[in-house]
Amino acid sequence: MSPDLKHFKAAIEAISTAQGVEWCLMAAVVQAESGFRADAFRHEPAFWARYMKKTPQYGGLNPRRYASSYGLAQVMWVVAVEEGFDATLPPEHLFVPELSLDYGCKRLKRCLDWASKFVDATEKGRLLSALAAYNGGRNSAQTPPNPRNIKYALRVWGFLQELVA
């Protein structure tokens, strides 16, 4: 087990269990997203330009703050808000490990539930679709898949296999 995982394992287990997600799957996502760094930050300028810039409700928001991924699970503020995060709170609250994990688990659970409806897919195929959707939205998990998101899903799959071995 990674020494970095040991630091967050109890929180990952507790929050994942509460959200109905296998802790080792969430740990693999966190490893891929942030390398277990609670201060991880990634600005997503293309997300702002494509989805937020022309939407009136986001007018006046600072793109560098509101179109960025935060914390262990690299949750974007807008995604966290979709999952119940208080929209009046600043996005930097997602640096708090428990908040990042909670909203990351909620989104991952939603993606897993969505992918579970793919009756023609294998269990692994459904999981990879859910992971691709976690990384880039549900459209990125459609056929043909976005290669970037499938690479991400396979990377998480590899981390998961290491954890369950």
mmCIF file of all heavy atoms in Angstrom, residues 16 18-22 25 83 104-119 121-123 125-134 138 141-142:
data_model
loop_
_atom_site.group_PDB
_atom_site.id
_atom_site.type_symbol
_atom_site.label_atom_id
_atom_site.label_comp_id
_atom_site.label_asym_id
_atom_site.label_seq_id
_atom_site.Cartn_x
_atom_site.Cartn_y
_atom_site.Cartn_z
ATOM 1 N N SER A 16 -16.453 6.492 1.420
ATOM 2 C CA SER A 16 -16.875 5.596 0.335
ATOM 3 C C SER A 16 -17.994 4.672 0.796
ATOM 4 O O SER A 16 -18.991 4.495 0.082
ATOM 5 C CB SER A 16 -15.696 4.751 -0.158
ATOM 6 O OG SER A 16 -14.709 5.562 -0.717
ATOM 7 N N ALA A 18 -20.129 5.155 3.181
ATOM 8 C CA ALA A 18 -21.351 5.953 3.366
ATOM 9 C C ALA A 18 -22.030 6.260 2.027
ATOM 10 O O ALA A 18 -23.259 6.377 1.964
ATOM 11 C CB ALA A 18 -21.025 7.249 4.099
ATOM 12 N N GLN A 19 -21.252 6.384 0.960
ATOM 13 C CA GLN A 19 -21.805 6.715 -0.357
ATOM 14 C C GLN A 19 -22.120 5.469 -1.193
ATOM 15 O O GLN A 19 -22.636 5.596 -2.307
ATOM 16 C CB GLN A 19 -20.829 7.609 -1.131
ATOM 17 C CG GLN A 19 -20.571 8.941 -0.499
ATOM 18 C CD GLN A 19 -21.818 9.801 -0.401
ATOM 19 O OE1 GLN A 19 -22.780 9.633 -1.132
ATOM 20 N NE2 GLN A 19 -21.800 10.739 0.530
ATOM 21 N N GLY A 20 -21.792 4.287 -0.695
ATOM 22 C CA GLY A 20 -22.071 3.065 -1.444
ATOM 23 C C GLY A 20 -21.080 2.795 -2.562
ATOM 24 O O GLY A 20 -21.420 2.201 -3.584
ATOM 25 N N VAL A 21 -19.835 3.214 -2.357
ATOM 26 C CA VAL A 21 -18.762 3.005 -3.335
ATOM 27 C C VAL A 21 -17.689 2.163 -2.656
ATOM 28 O O VAL A 21 -17.368 2.385 -1.488
ATOM 29 C CB VAL A 21 -18.167 4.364 -3.793
ATOM 30 C CG1 VAL A 21 -16.943 4.168 -4.671
ATOM 31 C CG2 VAL A 21 -19.226 5.195 -4.505
ATOM 32 N N GLU A 22 -17.120 1.209 -3.372
ATOM 33 C CA GLU A 22 -16.034 0.407 -2.800
ATOM 34 C C GLU A 22 -14.848 1.322 -2.501
ATOM 35 O O GLU A 22 -14.423 2.095 -3.356
ATOM 36 C CB GLU A 22 -15.607 -0.687 -3.779
ATOM 37 C CG GLU A 22 -16.650 -1.767 -3.978
ATOM 38 C CD GLU A 22 -16.156 -2.865 -4.895
ATOM 39 O OE1 GLU A 22 -14.960 -3.244 -4.804
ATOM 40 O OE2 GLU A 22 -16.968 -3.337 -5.697
ATOM 41 N N LEU A 25 -11.927 1.277 -4.946
ATOM 42 C CA LEU A 25 -12.187 1.970 -6.205
ATOM 43 C C LEU A 25 -11.972 3.472 -6.021
ATOM 44 O O LEU A 25 -11.319 4.123 -6.838
ATOM 45 C CB LEU A 25 -13.606 1.683 -6.708
ATOM 46 C CG LEU A 25 -14.026 2.429 -7.966
ATOM 47 C CD1 LEU A 25 -13.085 2.119 -9.135
ATOM 48 C CD2 LEU A 25 -15.468 2.087 -8.319
ATOM 49 N N GLU A 83 -23.893 17.881 -7.039
ATOM 50 C CA GLU A 83 -24.008 16.788 -6.070
ATOM 51 C C GLU A 83 -24.443 17.272 -4.687
ATOM 52 O O GLU A 83 -24.450 16.494 -3.739
ATOM 53 C CB GLU A 83 -22.688 16.022 -5.974
ATOM 54 C CG GLU A 83 -22.250 15.358 -7.272
ATOM 55 C CD GLU A 83 -23.252 14.354 -7.804
ATOM 56 O OE1 GLU A 83 -24.044 13.790 -7.022
ATOM 57 O OE2 GLU A 83 -23.248 14.123 -9.031
ATOM 58 N N GLY A 104 -16.590 13.750 -4.471
ATOM 59 C CA GLY A 104 -16.047 12.831 -5.471
ATOM 60 C C GLY A 104 -16.760 11.494 -5.438
ATOM 61 O O GLY A 104 -17.102 10.928 -6.481
ATOM 62 N N CYS A 105 -17.002 10.972 -4.233
ATOM 63 C CA CYS A 105 -17.736 9.702 -4.094
ATOM 64 C C CYS A 105 -19.164 9.825 -4.607
ATOM 65 O O CYS A 105 -19.679 8.912 -5.259
ATOM 66 C CB CYS A 105 -17.750 9.239 -2.642
ATOM 67 S SG CYS A 105 -16.250 8.421 -2.120
ATOM 68 N N LYS A 106 -19.807 10.939 -4.316
ATOM 69 C CA LYS A 106 -21.174 11.145 -4.810
ATOM 70 C C LYS A 106 -21.204 11.124 -6.330
ATOM 71 O O LYS A 106 -22.078 10.495 -6.934
ATOM 72 C CB LYS A 106 -21.746 12.463 -4.281
ATOM 73 C CG LYS A 106 -22.106 12.405 -2.821
ATOM 74 C CD LYS A 106 -22.600 13.743 -2.308
ATOM 75 C CE LYS A 106 -22.914 13.639 -0.817
ATOM 76 N NZ LYS A 106 -23.398 14.895 -0.259
ATOM 77 N N ARG A 107 -20.241 11.807 -6.950
ATOM 78 C CA ARG A 107 -20.201 11.818 -8.417
ATOM 79 C C ARG A 107 -19.856 10.436 -8.957
ATOM 80 O O ARG A 107 -20.460 9.979 -9.927
ATOM 81 C CB ARG A 107 -19.188 12.847 -8.908
ATOM 82 C CG ARG A 107 -19.022 12.906 -10.430
ATOM 83 C CD ARG A 107 -20.332 12.970 -11.236
ATOM 84 N NE ARG A 107 -21.158 14.080 -10.895
ATOM 85 C CZ ARG A 107 -21.593 15.005 -11.728
ATOM 86 N NH1 ARG A 107 -21.262 14.953 -12.997
ATOM 87 N NH2 ARG A 107 -22.358 15.978 -11.312
ATOM 88 N N LEU A 108 -18.901 9.764 -8.337
ATOM 89 C CA LEU A 108 -18.543 8.430 -8.806
ATOM 90 C C LEU A 108 -19.727 7.474 -8.678
ATOM 91 O O LEU A 108 -20.002 6.691 -9.593
ATOM 92 C CB LEU A 108 -17.329 7.896 -8.036
ATOM 93 C CG LEU A 108 -16.816 6.525 -8.462
ATOM 94 C CD1 LEU A 108 -16.464 6.494 -9.948
ATOM 95 C CD2 LEU A 108 -15.612 6.132 -7.618
ATOM 96 N N LYS A 109 -20.457 7.560 -7.593
ATOM 97 C CA LYS A 109 -21.643 6.713 -7.409
ATOM 98 C C LYS A 109 -22.677 6.997 -8.494
ATOM 99 O O LYS A 109 -23.271 6.069 -9.056
ATOM 100 C CB LYS A 109 -22.240 6.958 -6.015
ATOM 101 C CG LYS A 109 -23.521 6.205 -5.742
ATOM 102 C CD LYS A 109 -23.314 4.709 -5.684
ATOM 103 C CE LYS A 109 -24.586 4.033 -5.184
ATOM 104 N NZ LYS A 109 -24.755 2.708 -5.738
ATOM 105 N N ARG A 110 -22.876 8.264 -8.813
ATOM 106 C CA ARG A 110 -23.827 8.618 -9.884
ATOM 107 C C ARG A 110 -23.362 8.017 -11.219
ATOM 108 O O ARG A 110 -24.161 7.502 -11.989
ATOM 109 C CB ARG A 110 -23.959 10.125 -10.005
ATOM 110 C CG ARG A 110 -25.024 10.549 -11.012
ATOM 111 C CD ARG A 110 -25.064 12.048 -11.191
ATOM 112 N NE ARG A 110 -25.334 12.753 -9.966
ATOM 113 C CZ ARG A 110 -26.532 13.231 -9.632
ATOM 114 N NH1 ARG A 110 -27.555 13.047 -10.425
ATOM 115 N NH2 ARG A 110 -26.677 13.896 -8.512
ATOM 116 N N CYS A 111 -22.073 8.087 -11.492
ATOM 117 C CA CYS A 111 -21.527 7.525 -12.733
ATOM 118 C C CYS A 111 -21.661 6.004 -12.755
ATOM 119 O O CYS A 111 -21.986 5.414 -13.794
ATOM 120 C CB CYS A 111 -20.067 7.938 -12.905
ATOM 121 S SG CYS A 111 -19.827 9.709 -13.198
ATOM 122 N N LEU A 112 -21.411 5.362 -11.617
ATOM 123 C CA LEU A 112 -21.563 3.902 -11.534
ATOM 124 C C LEU A 112 -23.020 3.496 -11.756
ATOM 125 O O LEU A 112 -23.294 2.526 -12.475
ATOM 126 C CB LEU A 112 -21.073 3.393 -10.174
ATOM 127 C CG LEU A 112 -19.563 3.461 -9.938
ATOM 128 C CD1 LEU A 112 -19.251 3.290 -8.455
ATOM 129 C CD2 LEU A 112 -18.841 2.413 -10.771
ATOM 130 N N ASP A 113 -23.949 4.223 -11.156
ATOM 131 C CA ASP A 113 -25.372 3.924 -11.336
ATOM 132 C C ASP A 113 -25.780 4.101 -12.800
ATOM 133 O O ASP A 113 -26.522 3.295 -13.354
ATOM 134 C CB ASP A 113 -26.237 4.806 -10.438
ATOM 135 C CG ASP A 113 -26.115 4.443 -8.972
ATOM 136 O OD1 ASP A 113 -25.565 3.371 -8.646
ATOM 137 O OD2 ASP A 113 -26.549 5.266 -8.131
ATOM 138 N N TRP A 114 -25.291 5.149 -13.422
ATOM 139 C CA TRP A 114 -25.576 5.417 -14.835
ATOM 140 C C TRP A 114 -25.051 4.282 -15.713
ATOM 141 O O TRP A 114 -25.764 3.753 -16.560
ATOM 142 C CB TRP A 114 -24.952 6.762 -15.216
ATOM 143 C CG TRP A 114 -24.890 7.037 -16.678
ATOM 144 C CD1 TRP A 114 -25.912 7.446 -17.472
ATOM 145 C CD2 TRP A 114 -23.738 6.958 -17.513
ATOM 146 N NE1 TRP A 114 -25.461 7.611 -18.758
ATOM 147 C CE2 TRP A 114 -24.130 7.319 -18.802
ATOM 148 C CE3 TRP A 114 -22.402 6.614 -17.281
ATOM 149 C CZ2 TRP A 114 -23.244 7.347 -19.878
ATOM 150 C CZ3 TRP A 114 -21.520 6.641 -18.335
ATOM 151 C CH2 TRP A 114 -21.944 7.004 -19.619
ATOM 152 N N ALA A 115 -23.801 3.878 -15.488
ATOM 153 C CA ALA A 115 -23.186 2.838 -16.311
ATOM 154 C C ALA A 115 -23.777 1.456 -16.042
ATOM 155 O O ALA A 115 -23.710 0.574 -16.899
ATOM 156 C CB ALA A 115 -21.671 2.821 -16.089
ATOM 157 N N SER A 116 -24.379 1.253 -14.878
ATOM 158 C CA SER A 116 -24.962 -0.061 -14.558
ATOM 159 C C SER A 116 -26.118 -0.405 -15.488
ATOM 160 O O SER A 116 -26.504 -1.571 -15.592
ATOM 161 C CB SER A 116 -25.425 -0.100 -13.100
ATOM 162 O OG SER A 116 -26.601 0.676 -12.940
ATOM 163 N N LYS A 117 -26.642 0.573 -16.197
ATOM 164 C CA LYS A 117 -27.774 0.341 -17.103
ATOM 165 C C LYS A 117 -27.328 -0.156 -18.475
ATOM 166 O O LYS A 117 -28.164 -0.435 -19.322
ATOM 167 C CB LYS A 117 -28.592 1.620 -17.223
ATOM 168 C CG LYS A 117 -29.196 2.018 -15.895
ATOM 169 C CD LYS A 117 -29.946 3.322 -15.968
ATOM 170 C CE LYS A 117 -30.578 3.599 -14.628
ATOM 171 N NZ LYS A 117 -30.012 4.692 -13.921
ATOM 172 N N PHE A 118 -26.024 -0.254 -18.705
ATOM 173 C CA PHE A 118 -25.512 -0.753 -19.987
ATOM 174 C C PHE A 118 -25.599 -2.277 -19.982
ATOM 175 O O PHE A 118 -24.677 -2.972 -19.579
ATOM 176 C CB PHE A 118 -24.068 -0.324 -20.226
ATOM 177 C CG PHE A 118 -23.850 1.155 -20.289
ATOM 178 C CD1 PHE A 118 -22.571 1.669 -20.204
ATOM 179 C CD2 PHE A 118 -24.892 2.052 -20.446
ATOM 180 C CE1 PHE A 118 -22.340 3.036 -20.269
ATOM 181 C CE2 PHE A 118 -24.680 3.415 -20.511
ATOM 182 C CZ PHE A 118 -23.396 3.906 -20.424
ATOM 183 N N VAL A 119 -26.730 -2.819 -20.441
ATOM 184 C CA VAL A 119 -26.984 -4.257 -20.330
ATOM 185 C C VAL A 119 -26.073 -5.091 -21.213
ATOM 186 O O VAL A 119 -25.814 -6.259 -20.910
ATOM 187 C CB VAL A 119 -28.465 -4.590 -20.624
ATOM 188 C CG1 VAL A 119 -29.369 -3.992 -19.569
ATOM 189 C CG2 VAL A 119 -28.871 -4.124 -22.015
ATOM 190 N N ALA A 121 -22.916 -4.525 -21.790
ATOM 191 C CA ALA A 121 -21.522 -4.394 -21.381
ATOM 192 C C ALA A 121 -21.170 -5.398 -20.297
ATOM 193 O O ALA A 121 -22.022 -5.842 -19.535
ATOM 194 C CB ALA A 121 -21.265 -2.971 -20.870
ATOM 195 N N THR A 122 -19.900 -5.732 -20.234
ATOM 196 C CA THR A 122 -19.395 -6.570 -19.150
ATOM 197 C C THR A 122 -19.298 -5.713 -17.888
ATOM 198 O O THR A 122 -19.387 -4.477 -17.951
ATOM 199 C CB THR A 122 -17.990 -7.104 -19.483
ATOM 200 O OG1 THR A 122 -17.096 -5.983 -19.592
ATOM 201 C CG2 THR A 122 -17.994 -7.907 -20.778
ATOM 202 N N GLU A 123 -19.078 -6.361 -16.771
ATOM 203 C CA GLU A 123 -18.900 -5.607 -15.524
ATOM 204 C C GLU A 123 -17.714 -4.648 -15.641
ATOM 205 O O GLU A 123 -17.803 -3.489 -15.258
ATOM 206 C CB GLU A 123 -18.702 -6.565 -14.356
ATOM 207 C CG GLU A 123 -18.615 -5.865 -13.024
ATOM 208 C CD GLU A 123 -18.498 -6.839 -11.854
ATOM 209 O OE1 GLU A 123 -18.931 -7.993 -11.971
ATOM 210 O OE2 GLU A 123 -17.966 -6.404 -10.820
ATOM 211 N N GLY A 125 -16.532 -3.415 -18.430
ATOM 212 C CA GLY A 125 -16.928 -2.382 -19.381
ATOM 213 C C GLY A 125 -17.774 -1.304 -18.736
ATOM 214 O O GLY A 125 -17.601 -0.111 -19.008
ATOM 215 N N ARG A 126 -18.692 -1.714 -17.864
ATOM 216 C CA ARG A 126 -19.517 -0.728 -17.158
ATOM 217 C C ARG A 126 -18.655 0.119 -16.225
ATOM 218 O O ARG A 126 -18.836 1.332 -16.126
ATOM 219 C CB ARG A 126 -20.639 -1.429 -16.397
ATOM 220 C CG ARG A 126 -21.748 -1.954 -17.304
ATOM 221 C CD ARG A 126 -22.939 -2.481 -16.530
ATOM 222 N NE ARG A 126 -22.652 -3.709 -15.821
ATOM 223 C CZ ARG A 126 -22.761 -4.940 -16.344
ATOM 224 N NH1 ARG A 126 -23.176 -5.092 -17.575
ATOM 225 N NH2 ARG A 126 -22.493 -5.994 -15.623
ATOM 226 N N LEU A 127 -17.724 -0.528 -15.541
ATOM 227 C CA LEU A 127 -16.841 0.215 -14.637
ATOM 228 C C LEU A 127 -15.978 1.201 -15.421
ATOM 229 O O LEU A 127 -15.840 2.366 -15.024
ATOM 230 C CB LEU A 127 -15.960 -0.743 -13.834
ATOM 231 C CG LEU A 127 -14.952 -0.087 -12.895
ATOM 232 C CD1 LEU A 127 -15.644 0.825 -11.882
ATOM 233 C CD2 LEU A 127 -14.126 -1.139 -12.183
ATOM 234 N N LEU A 128 -15.419 0.766 -16.544
ATOM 235 C CA LEU A 128 -14.599 1.666 -17.350
ATOM 236 C C LEU A 128 -15.429 2.834 -17.882
ATOM 237 O O LEU A 128 -14.950 3.972 -17.930
ATOM 238 C CB LEU A 128 -13.925 0.902 -18.496
ATOM 239 C CG LEU A 128 -12.849 -0.103 -18.075
ATOM 240 C CD1 LEU A 128 -12.335 -0.867 -19.287
ATOM 241 C CD2 LEU A 128 -11.708 0.566 -17.330
ATOM 242 N N SER A 129 -16.670 2.569 -18.265
ATOM 243 C CA SER A 129 -17.551 3.655 -18.720
ATOM 244 C C SER A 129 -17.817 4.640 -17.588
ATOM 245 O O SER A 129 -17.813 5.855 -17.798
ATOM 246 C CB SER A 129 -18.877 3.094 -19.237
ATOM 247 O OG SER A 129 -18.678 2.412 -20.442
ATOM 248 N N ALA A 130 -18.056 4.125 -16.388
ATOM 249 C CA ALA A 130 -18.292 5.001 -15.235
ATOM 250 C C ALA A 130 -17.058 5.842 -14.936
ATOM 251 O O ALA A 130 -17.171 7.038 -14.653
ATOM 252 C CB ALA A 130 -18.686 4.170 -14.010
ATOM 253 N N LEU A 131 -15.891 5.248 -15.000
ATOM 254 C CA LEU A 131 -14.660 5.983 -14.737
ATOM 255 C C LEU A 131 -14.401 7.036 -15.809
ATOM 256 O O LEU A 131 -13.983 8.159 -15.499
ATOM 257 C CB LEU A 131 -13.474 5.019 -14.626
ATOM 258 C CG LEU A 131 -13.496 4.116 -13.397
ATOM 259 C CD1 LEU A 131 -12.452 3.010 -13.524
ATOM 260 C CD2 LEU A 131 -13.310 4.917 -12.122
ATOM 261 N N ALA A 132 -14.656 6.694 -17.067
ATOM 262 C CA ALA A 132 -14.507 7.678 -18.150
ATOM 263 C C ALA A 132 -15.468 8.845 -17.929
ATOM 264 O O ALA A 132 -15.121 10.007 -18.146
ATOM 265 C CB ALA A 132 -14.743 7.025 -19.501
ATOM 266 N N ALA A 133 -16.685 8.539 -17.475
ATOM 267 C CA ALA A 133 -17.666 9.595 -17.203
ATOM 268 C C ALA A 133 -17.232 10.443 -16.018
ATOM 269 O O ALA A 133 -17.431 11.662 -16.024
ATOM 270 C CB ALA A 133 -19.037 8.976 -16.946
ATOM 271 N N TYR A 134 -16.646 9.834 -14.997
ATOM 272 C CA TYR A 134 -16.143 10.605 -13.852
ATOM 273 C C TYR A 134 -15.091 11.598 -14.325
ATOM 274 O O TYR A 134 -15.052 12.740 -13.889
ATOM 275 C CB TYR A 134 -15.537 9.660 -12.806
ATOM 276 C CG TYR A 134 -15.032 10.389 -11.576
ATOM 277 C CD1 TYR A 134 -15.880 10.614 -10.494
ATOM 278 C CD2 TYR A 134 -13.725 10.843 -11.483
ATOM 279 C CE1 TYR A 134 -15.431 11.290 -9.360
ATOM 280 C CE2 TYR A 134 -13.267 11.522 -10.359
ATOM 281 C CZ TYR A 134 -14.121 11.742 -9.301
ATOM 282 O OH TYR A 134 -13.679 12.423 -8.191
ATOM 283 N N ARG A 138 -20.453 12.229 -18.979
ATOM 284 C CA ARG A 138 -21.060 11.046 -19.594
ATOM 285 C C ARG A 138 -20.832 10.963 -21.094
ATOM 286 O O ARG A 138 -20.704 9.871 -21.639
ATOM 287 C CB ARG A 138 -22.550 11.006 -19.289
ATOM 288 C CG ARG A 138 -22.807 10.733 -17.835
ATOM 289 C CD ARG A 138 -24.271 10.585 -17.576
ATOM 290 N NE ARG A 138 -24.506 10.902 -16.189
ATOM 291 C CZ ARG A 138 -25.652 11.285 -15.716
ATOM 292 N NH1 ARG A 138 -26.695 11.394 -16.498
ATOM 293 N NH2 ARG A 138 -25.786 11.550 -14.443
ATOM 294 N N ALA A 141 -17.932 8.918 -22.306
ATOM 295 C CA ALA A 141 -17.989 7.459 -22.176
ATOM 296 C C ALA A 141 -18.853 6.837 -23.267
ATOM 297 O O ALA A 141 -19.073 5.643 -23.270
ATOM 298 C CB ALA A 141 -18.545 7.082 -20.803
ATOM 299 N N GLN A 142 -19.333 7.636 -24.194
ATOM 300 C CA GLN A 142 -20.166 7.131 -25.276
ATOM 301 C C GLN A 142 -19.296 6.410 -26.303
ATOM 302 O O GLN A 142 -18.087 6.495 -26.293
ATOM 303 C CB GLN A 142 -20.923 8.284 -25.952
ATOM 304 C CG GLN A 142 -21.810 9.073 -25.011
ATOM 305 C CD GLN A 142 -23.010 8.283 -24.522
ATOM 306 O OE1 GLN A 142 -23.554 7.483 -25.252
ATOM 307 N NE2 GLN A 142 -23.412 8.505 -23.303
#
